[in-house]
Every structure is written in C-alpha cells, then in structure tokens.
C-alpha cells in the first residue's frame, strides 16, 4: 500500500464522517457544543464538585477540619497516625484487636525490597529533588509487585496498606542517602511516627518528638479534594493501578502552590534573617506581587486549624534550639503582619505549611525533606479516597470550553 492510497482512504473516511455531521440538535446535552458558550468557567475548578465522600470535610468558613466526623484537634490530642489511617480507610475507629492487626500489617510491610536501595544509589536519583526520588521509587515498588496490575478492590486495598507503610520507609532511606549516609533498618519496636523520625535522623526520638511527628502525620493525612488527591483519583479512575495513581499524587504534591510550600517557607524565613526585617520583606513581596508561601488557601477563608495547632507547638522546638527560636520569632512576626494586612481584606491567613517546617527543622530534618514527609502522611488520604471512589468508579472526564478556531485550513509547509 502506498502513502497516496493511505491518504485516499483518509479522504474517503472524512467524506463518510461529514455525512453524519449535524448542528448537534438532538445530541445528548453532555456532548452538544453550544455556541456561544453559555457556561461560566471557574479557573482552577474553584467550587466544582467532583464526587460525594464520607472521608473528610474542610469547613473553610469556620476553619475546621474533620475526618469521618472526628475533629482534627481531637485527633491530634488523642490519636496517632496508624489509628487515623485506619479511620480514613475504614470509616470507624478500630477496636483494640483491629488496631493490633492493622499495626502488625503496617510493620510487616515496612522493609523495602533491596532493589530500591540500588536505585537510590544511582546518581540521578540520588541528586534529584527528594520528591522526584520518591515518585521514582514508588513507581519501582509497583514494578516489583507481581500483583500490581490486579485492580480488584481487595488487591488495591492491600497495596494501599503496603504504601501507607512503605512511603515512610522510602522517605527515611532518601533522607539518609541524600546526606551520604547509609539507611538504617526500620525498627519494628517503634510506632509509625517514631520509626519515620528514626529512619530519617538515625536517632530514636523521645516521647515529645514522637508525639509531634504523630500530630504532623495526622494533620496532613487528608484534606478534601486538594490537587494531589484529585490527581491521584483522576489517575485511578481510568482503572490504572494504585502505585501509578499514588505516583500521580506525589507529582502534584511536589509543586510550591501545594505541598512544596513548606520547604519554601523555610527558605523565606532564612532570607528574612531577623524579625525586624519581616515588615520590609513583606512590603517588597507585595510590591513584586509575589505570593508568600505558607499563606492563603482555596477553601479556608479563616485561620487554618492545622496552623493553629502547629504554631504554638513550634515553641517547644524553639526552647531547645536558638536557630529555631529566631526563625520562630520571624514567623510569628510575619504571621501577625499578614493577618493584619490581608486577613480582613483578602481572607489570607497562615496555612498548614507555614509552621510545619519549623517543627521538622527542630527535629534535625533537612529542609528538602519536608514535602516528602507530607507525602508520607497524605498517602492515607490518597488511598482512602481512591478506594472509596473505586467502589462506584466512573472515569473522570470533564470538558474545557474551546475558544479556538474550528475551520482552519491545512497549508503545506512550503506555502505558509
Ligand atoms: C494556596 C493558594 C494556591 C490558593 O490560591 P487560590 O485559591 O487559587 O487563590 P489565588 O491564587 O487566585 O489568590 C486570590 C488572591 O489572593 C492573593 N493571594 C493568595 N495567596 C496569597 C499569598 N500566599 N500571598 C499573597 N497573596 C496571596 C492573590 O494574589 C490573589 O489576589 P488578587 O485577587 O488581588 O489577584 C494560594 O493561596 C497560594 O499560592 N499560597 C501560597 C502557596 C501555599 O502556601 N500553598 C500551600 C497551600 S496549603
């Protein structure tokens, strides 16, 4: 068959197709092209409803965050990451036997296949941003799992638990190898939060540090239809597998308008240097129309409850460490300035990412690792929502309002 014959076939097919072109009258409403377009488009899908859920609720007006009916303040006080993950996944608090079984399962999955270590030793992975290393190695976990392509609900549920356990181990290994240190083996005598700190720093944390990491993991675990959760759910709605969908979530979380903000906040605080420079720094940011990282939120038009919890907790870190003390003083000053100048007028307040990094810094964790810790927590929300949606899955497939030409003519390159 020649190229000319192929092109003849395409022309014939176009003629056949044209016989069926109509003015769309009678076509189902969802596929009809109406012109001029009679819809309003909210940039960034603001206000769009993607699905129903029973997992979590962000009350943006009152600054409340609820998981399965439980308030985030109450969970921070009483719960830990394992229990909160169970709550998100299964919709109820585990009883003692259920907790034990879930905890044992998480611990059983903690150790990584040795191929992950080999991959992390490779130059490009080692020097990449740790979120890049994280999605590469999360993808590898999928590649190494012979059952990853089984997208039945039961198998995806099992992978979810495996990933809730292993993303933390990956984060621990990445943190160590970035510093040129050998990874430490997961310690099965430690709870999830304590083991994460241990694997990142090489030291077993005290009770207070463990509690602070638990709070951080609880507070980041779920947050409505945020960008990374939506991304992960969209990927999974095509019946892709859990690993791939979680990789999609990680890539979205990486950006500075989302999880990546916590890392940037620390660089900003360091750039400001001392509390007396905060006012001038903010004035310049306003003049340059720069967004201040760690402030503002699409849903919260009140002070983010997670920042309300984290802010005062940084004080414990500040007491132990003069560097944190200085950064905390700068942060509090910036918080006060922005709330005063932007709070009433624009409803811009600190969000979760403003104070969290100071807690991690106080634990001796490298700034670039802050967003991976976010992922080690949000994995519970991603997987819980993927599994909830999978029960009555329907492919996510929104539309865009086409504002371009519809009758452009193809002109050969030498005649353009
Ligand atoms: C989170 C965020 C992306 C939500 O943004 P959004 O709902 O799309 O809101 P917009 O970016 O459209 O901002 C609305 C207005 O508030 C301003 N604004 C929002 N966040 C701001 C910030 N952090 N600093 C300064 N101004 C901000 C915008 O400049 C815009 O002002 P304008 O109406 O005068 O143009 C945004 O607040 C932001 O970029 N924050 C910094 C990054 C961050 O901390 N991300 C973590 C979120 S948990």
């Amino acid at each position: 068959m020649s190229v000319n014959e192929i092109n003849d076939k395409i022309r014939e097919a176009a003629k056949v197709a044209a016989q069926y072109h109509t003015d769309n009258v009678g076509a189902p409403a969802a596929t009809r092209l109406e012109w001029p377009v009679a819809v309003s488009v909210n940039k960034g899908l603001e206000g769009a409803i993607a699905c129903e859920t029973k997992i979590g609720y962000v009350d943006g007006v009152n600054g409340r965050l609820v998981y399965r009916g439980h308030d985030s303040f109450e969970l921070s006080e009483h719960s830990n990451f394992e229990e909160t993950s169970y709550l998100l996944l299964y919709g109820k608090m585990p009883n003692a036997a259920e907790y034990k079984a879930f905890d044992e399962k998480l611990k059983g999955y903690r150790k990584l296949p040795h191929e992950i270590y080999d991959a992390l030793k490779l130059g490009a992975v080692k020097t990449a941003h740790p979120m890049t290393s994280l999605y590469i190695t999360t993808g590898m976990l999928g590649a190494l799992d012979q059952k990853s392509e089984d997208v039945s609900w039961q198998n995806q549920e099992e992978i979810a638990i495996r990933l809730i356990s292993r993303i933390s181990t990956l984060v621990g290994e990445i943190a160590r190898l970035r510093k040129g240190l050998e990874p430490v083996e997961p310690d099965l005598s430690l709870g999830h939060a304590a083991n994460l700190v241990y694997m990142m720093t090489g030291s077993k944390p005290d009770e207070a540090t463990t509690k602070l990491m638990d709070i951080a993991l609880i507070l980041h675990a779920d947050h409505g239809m945020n960008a990374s959760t939506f991304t992960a759910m969209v990927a999974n709605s095509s019946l892709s597998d859990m690993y791939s969908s979680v990789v999609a979530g990680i890539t979205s979380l990486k950006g500075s308008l989302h999880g990546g903000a916590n890392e940037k906040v620390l660089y900003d605080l360091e750039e400001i240097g001392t509390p007396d420079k905060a006012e001038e720094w903010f004035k310049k940011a306003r003049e340059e129309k720069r967004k201040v990282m760690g402030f503002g939120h699409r849903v919260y038009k009140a002070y983010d409850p997670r920042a309300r919890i984290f802010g005062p907790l940084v004080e414990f870190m500040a007491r132990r460490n003069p560097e944190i003390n200085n950064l905390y003083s700068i942060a509090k000053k910036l918080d006060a300035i922005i709330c005063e100048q932007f709070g009433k007028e624009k409803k811009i307040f600190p969000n979760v990412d403003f104070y969290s990094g100071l807690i991690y810094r106080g634990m001796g964790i490298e700034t670039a690792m802050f967003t991976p810790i976010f992922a080690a927590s949000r994995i519970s929300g991603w997987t819980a929502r993927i599994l909830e949606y999978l029960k009555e899955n329907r492919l996510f497939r929104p539309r865009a309002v086409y504002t371009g030409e519809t009758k452009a003519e193809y002109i050969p390159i030498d005649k353009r």
Side-chain angles (χ1 to χ4, degrees):
M1 186 187 258
S2 69
V3 170
N4 278 345
E5 283 173 309
I6 292 171
N7 285 338
D8 284 346
K9 290 281 176 208
I10 294 170
R11 273 192 293 275
E12 276 167 36
K15 274 188 202 151
V16 174
Q19 290 168 21
Y20 293 93
H21 288 176
T22 67
D23 56 5
N24 281 312
V25 175
T31 56
R32 210 181 300 150
L33 176 74
E34 287 174 11
W35 194 263
V37 178
V39 292
S40 62
V41 181
N42 286 346
K43 277 182 85 177
L45 292 179
E46 180 170 359
I49 304 293
C51 61
E52 285 186 12
T53 181
K54 288 190 166 54
I55 292 176
Y57 171 55
V58 181
D59 178 348
V61 177
N62 296 305
R64 275 189 79 219
L65 171 62
V66 169
Y67 298 164
R68 304 273 191 187
H70 292 270
D71 194 278
S72 54
F73 287 95
E74 187 197 48
L75 291 170
S76 299
E77 186 182 345
H78 299 293
S79 190
N80 64 11
F81 180 66
E82 294 88 321
E83 187 181 64
T84 297
S85 298
Y86 187 99
L87 174 71
L88 289 169
L89 282 175
Y90 300 112
K92 70 178 197 82
M93 281 291 180
N95 62 29
E98 287 162 341
Y99 180 89
K100 187 166 177 280
F102 187 64
D103 182 47
E104 276 170 9
K105 211 166 216 194
L106 288 175
K107 285 185 174 141
Y109 281 137
R110 254 187 213 167
K111 270 187 83 159
L112 297 173
H114 66 89
E115 287 92 342
I116 298 293
Y117 171 83
D118 298 339
L120 284 171
K121 293 286 270 186
L122 289 175
V125 185
K126 208 167 146 193
T127 54
H129 188 279
M131 286 296 275
T132 302
S133 308
L134 186 61
Y135 67 66
I136 290 172
T137 46
T138 303
M140 265 194 85
L141 286 178
L144 294 165
D145 180 350
Q146 298 300 313
K147 280 187 76 188
S148 64
E149 302 300 326
D150 171 357
V151 295
S152 66
W153 196 91
Q154 284 70 18
N155 191 49
Q156 297 297 298
E157 179 205 17
E158 198 57 34
I159 295 172
I161 299 170
R162 194 176 301 150
L163 284 174
I164 290 171
S165 173
R166 286 190 172 166
I167 295 283
S168 277
T169 319
L170 286 177
V171 170
E173 283 214 4
I174 292 167
R176 302 275 300 169
L177 287 167
R178 279 176 61 80
K179 287 187 169 173
L181 300 166
E182 279 302 296
V184 294
E185 284 288 302
D187 185 330
L188 301 189
S189 71
L190 297 176
H192 193 90
N195 182 61
L196 175 61
V197 179
Y198 170 59
M199 288 207 64
M200 293 182 89
T201 64
S203 316
K204 291 189 186 167
D206 60 19
E207 212 185 341
T209 307
T210 302
K211 172 75 183 166
L212 288 175
M213 183 53 92
D214 253 322
I215 294 170
L217 294 178
I218 290 167
L219 290 179
H220 287 89
D222 185 66
H223 208 245
M225 204 45 54
N226 58 86
S228 60
T229 299
F230 186 52
T231 305
M233 288 175 66
V234 170
N236 210 71
S237 80
S238 70
L239 296 184
S240 189
D241 65 290
M242 185 64 90
Y243 293 100
S244 307
S245 307
V246 167
V247 168
I250 297 171
T251 62
S252 169
L253 185 70
K254 180 173 184 274
S256 62
L257 295 187
H258 190 10
N262 58 11
E263 178 186 340
K264 302 280 185 287
V265 169
L266 251 287
Y267 300 136
D268 284 348
L269 295 177
E270 282 167 344
E271 186 186 295
I272 296 170
T274 50
D276 57 304
K277 303 256 175 62
E279 184 106 47
E280 192 190 318
W281 183 90
F282 179 57
K283 189 165 166 261
K284 193 153 175 264
R286 273 193 91 164
E287 282 163 10
E288 291 170 359
K289 297 199 181 314
R290 258 192 302 122
K291 287 206 176 152
V292 184
M293 294 294 121
F295 283 86
H297 201 273
R298 176 66 63 76
V299 183
Y300 288 124
K301 298 304 165 200
Y303 206 103
D304 184 329
R306 302 165 300 175
R308 275 216 195 284
I309 296 174
F310 278 136
L313 292 179
V314 181
E315 210 175 303
F316 293 112
M317 296 301 186
R319 272 189 220 155
R320 292 186 201 171
N321 180 327
E323 189 218 353
I324 304 293
N325 195 27
N326 180 47
L327 293 172
Y328 184 44
S329 304
I330 300 167
K332 280 197 294 185
K333 188 81 195 282
L334 199 57
D335 179 339
I337 294 168
I338 297 185
C339 283
E340 195 193 309
Q341 296 189 28
F342 274 3
K344 258 202 195 137
E345 177 205 338
K346 291 191 164 199
K347 306 277 180 232
I348 292 173
F349 300 96
N351 60 48
V352 67
D353 295 314
F354 190 59
Y355 287 109
S356 58
L358 287 171
I359 304 237
Y360 306 142
R361 172 63 70 85
M363 293 177 185
I365 293 167
E366 183 200 359
T367 308
M369 292 306 301
F370 295 174
T371 316
I373 298 174
F374 195 152
S377 161
R378 187 56 59 86
I379 180 66
S380 297
W382 290 334
T383 51
R385 286 181 185 258
I386 284 172
L387 288 170
E388 181 188 56
Y389 191 77
L390 190 58
K391 280 194 174 143
E392 291 186 47
N393 186 65
R394 189 157 191 234
L395 180 73
F396 277 113
R397 202 334 185 162
R399 296 186 71 187
V401 175
Y402 181 68
T403 59
E405 259 194 84
T406 56
K407 298 267 190 240
E409 190 191 346
Y410 186 85
I411 299 166
I413 195 161
D414 55 339
K415 304 234 162 59
R416 283 174 213 159

